[in-house]
Amino acid sequence: MRFQGAYATPPVVKNLIILNGLFYLAQTVLPGGTGEWMVRHLGLWFWESGRFGLHQLVTHMFLHGSLTHLFMNMFALWMFGRTLEYELGSRRFLSYYMVTGVGAALLQLGVTWIEVHSLAEGVMAGTTNPFLLQQRIDTVTIGASGAVFGVLLAFGMMHPNAMIMLLIPPVPIKAKYFVIGYGVLELALGVSGAQSGVAHFAHVGGMLWGFFLLRYWKKTGKIFY
């Protein structure tokens, strides 16, 4: 008989957490500028920067900018990913995680392309500082947040009435309302640019790709919820 405790962690979630932790250790502990080298080669760069590689669509998900960044992503993955992996199966859950992570990167690149060309027009018109254009081209994206937002979206779709306890404020809320609210907030922050330094459209991208993938699986009878 197989026993699954309340806090048992299935293999994909466990190994993703371990892998992300090992990458962060390599970034911060190994000498000789290893962390900078990893960001330079494995972070997600815009294709016009001269640093872009297709592998970055995947590798950027395993780098993090700080211990807090790592902890928040891995805690959310552990909290919501365990249930999903048990229900979807390890192989399908891993596929979902990777698809949403890559999808998040693609949307982020698309939004960056729009921003870069808008800034370029401003430079040509003399209304934008060329430094701002170059700064946007040379911005790197790292972190598992896109895939984690995909996981959050899946939990909300598959368990819409499950209660989630917020930290601030400490009140319970149904998963469906939490996911909708978080998605709208990320979209608003991305459009307004109110919180710079955060790839809000990558978060939205993870949710969008997750939504369409889950709907496709449901329509084709691969999953039920």
Side-chain angles (χ1 to χ4, degrees):
M1 180 180 294
R2 183 181 177 184
F3 174 76
Q4 295 178 353
Y7 295 98
T9 303
V12 171
V13 169
K14 180 190 299 182
N15 285 306
L16 284 172
I17 292 173
I18 291 173
L19 191 57
N20 277 272
L22 290 175
F23 266 78
Y24 185 73
L25 280 177
Q27 283 181 258
T28 56
V29 174
L30 294 182
T34 301
E36 294 180 1
W37 183 93
M38 292 175 70
V39 172
R40 167 66 178 79
H41 292 278
L42 305 181
L44 179 65
W45 297 86
F46 183 52
W47 58 77
E48 292 182 9
S49 68
R51 299 180 178 182
F52 175 74
L54 283 175
H55 64 279
Q56 296 168 3
L57 295 173
V58 173
T59 56
H60 82 281
M61 291 189 280
F62 298 97
L63 304 179
H64 288 83
S66 68
L67 185 59
T68 300
H69 188 201
L70 172 70
F71 174 78
M72 294 299 292
N73 277 338
M74 295 303 101
F75 181 71
L77 174 61
W78 181 78
M79 281 292 295
F80 301 106
R82 291 173 300 153
T83 299
L84 296 175
E85 184 175 345
Y86 283 131
E87 293 176 345
L88 296 175
S90 294
R91 181 177 297 180
R92 191 176 300 280
F93 175 77
L94 179 59
S95 297
Y96 179 85
Y97 183 89
M98 298 306 295
V99 166
T100 54
V102 172
L106 291 173
L107 183 61
Q108 183 65 31
L109 288 174
V111 171
T112 300
W113 179 82
I114 295 173
E115 293 175 344
V116 165
H117 280 264
S118 177
L119 289 170
E121 290 178 358
V123 171
M124 293 178 64
T127 59
T128 300
N129 188 330
F131 173 77
L132 295 177
L133 172 61
Q134 194 59 47
Q135 185 181 49
R136 191 66 192 91
I137 291 175
D138 291 335
T139 298
V140 63
T141 300
I142 58 175
S145 302
V148 170
F149 268 79
V151 169
L152 180 61
L153 182 281
F155 187 86
M157 289 183 66
M158 297 179 69
H159 300 277
N161 295 314
M163 299 303 293
I164 297 175
M165 179 61 71
L166 301 180
L167 296 178
I168 302 174
V171 295
I173 183 174
K174 288 186 177 181
K176 58 184 177 183
Y177 299 131
F178 177 73
V179 169
I180 292 172
Y182 216 156
V184 170
L185 176 63
E186 287 297 317
L187 181 60
L189 289 172
V191 171
S192 67
Q195 191 179 15
S196 61
V198 179
H200 295 291
F201 284 106
H203 302 168
V204 174
M207 286 182 148
L208 282 176
W209 281 77
F211 174 81
F212 288 117
L213 183 56
L214 288 175
R215 294 293 296 176
Y216 171 74
W217 281 343
K218 183 177 182 179
K219 184 177 181 179
T220 55
K222 293 181 172 63
I223 62 172
F224 302 93
Y225 60 88

